[in-house]
Amino acid sequence: MQRLAWNPSPRQFKSLKAVLFVLALLPFVRLVAYAVADKLGANPLEFITRSTGDWTLYFLCITLSVTPLRRLSNWNWLVKLRRMLGLFAFFYAVLHFTTFIWFDHFFDLGEMWKDVLKRPFITVGFTAFVLLLPLALTSTNRMVKRLGAQRWQWLHRLIYIIAPLGILHFWWMKAGKHDFAQPLLFGAIVAVLLLVRVWWRLRRTAAESALSRPRDAAKESAVA
């Protein structure tokens, strides 16, 4: 079956990217509006922490889905949206971390560090956030050129570690309430998005191996 290839014009792509940018900001706008209107509920800290954490995971999943969607749909232009989507994952992760260090510890780095070392789910979440930092800092075209495409790609494969760590952080956080529905859903999505990459890589390796056999046989015959 032939895949539908749609290539938006530069103007269409610019409009689409602008719409996605606005949509990606809506959860933050909602938080601000709720805070101003005093609608964050009985536990504002929990509401903000949960919302920013959820949207970090949403955008990690969306970012990871770009490559499979591109390959399945043949919409190569989707790759141009991946950087923006990844930066929104970082944006909500920063808000999530800021909530933790500000409202939980009032910028007391010593107490924050004790909490990081004491509670495993915070340790895992903090590790995931730290690993996100180099990805955000090297997201510009200038950094791609400076690092070189191959090294840049290897660095940004940290996302394959960050996403499972984010799921584990969420799982442990929910474990106290024995509420595993959302962590299981996020875990299943991330597992599928990572496993499909492994499958494609194995198929590619097998295809390359099959192509190399005739060439190797021809070389051996020529030598003989």
Side-chain angles (χ1 to χ4, degrees):
M1 185 174 68
Q2 187 176 4
R3 291 174 293 181
L4 178 63
W6 175 59
N7 293 309
S9 66
R11 184 175 180 179
Q12 288 174 327
F13 180 78
K14 188 175 181 180
S15 299
L16 176 62
K17 190 173 182 180
V19 169
L20 287 176
F21 184 89
V22 171
L23 289 175
L25 274 179
L26 287 181
F28 173 69
V29 173
R30 173 175 172 264
L31 271 180
V32 173
Y34 274 28
V36 171
D38 195 21
K39 292 183 178 180
L40 294 176
N43 192 339
L45 176 59
E46 182 180 356
F47 186 94
I48 296 171
T49 301
R50 183 177 299 176
S51 180
T52 53
D54 285 352
W55 280 101
T56 300
L57 289 176
Y58 291 147
F59 277 104
L60 282 175
C61 291
I62 293 169
T63 303
L64 282 172
S65 70
V66 169
T67 294
L69 285 174
R70 177 187 65 82
R71 293 193 61 165
L72 293 172
S73 67
N74 206 28
W75 292 357
N76 294 325
W77 52 270
L78 286 172
V79 175
K80 298 177 183 178
L81 298 173
R82 186 167 53 194
R83 180 187 304 177
M84 182 183 75
L85 295 170
L87 286 173
F88 268 110
F90 178 71
F91 171 68
Y92 284 104
V94 168
L95 293 179
H96 189 63
F97 178 71
T98 302
T99 303
F100 167 67
I101 194 174
W102 184 358
F103 298 110
D104 270 359
H105 298 289
F106 299 100
F107 297 101
D108 188 330
L109 297 181
E111 288 300 315
M112 182 209 75
W113 187 243
K114 288 179 183 178
D115 214 7
V116 168
L117 296 177
K118 182 180 178 181
R119 296 197 278 178
F121 88 93
I122 294 181
T123 306
V124 170
F126 182 75
T127 302
F129 178 72
V130 170
L131 292 177
L132 267 175
L133 290 172
L135 273 61
L137 293 173
T138 58
S139 63
T140 63
N141 291 332
R142 184 176 180 180
M143 287 303 299
V144 176
K145 293 178 181 178
R146 186 172 180 179
L147 291 173
Q150 189 172 8
R151 281 188 293 177
W152 186 88
Q153 287 177 352
W154 274 105
L155 175 64
H156 280 251
R157 284 174 183 168
L158 283 173
I159 190 71
Y160 304 147
I161 299 173
I162 292 166
L165 286 177
I167 301 300
L168 183 59
H169 168 70
F170 193 34
W171 177 280
W172 271 340
M173 188 190 72
K174 289 285 192 176
K177 299 179 180 179
H178 301 285
D179 181 9
F180 299 109
Q182 278 188 297
L184 283 171
L185 177 60
F186 277 117
I189 292 170
V190 169
V192 169
L193 292 173
L194 295 182
L195 286 173
V196 74
R197 285 169 163 83
V198 173
W199 182 59
W200 280 331
R201 184 60 182 263
L202 291 174
R203 285 186 61 190
R204 179 181 175 183
T205 301
E208 290 174 349
S209 178
L211 287 173
S212 67
R213 287 194 199 104
R215 289 198 297 266
D216 293 341
K219 288 179 181 178
E220 290 176 2
S221 298
V223 171

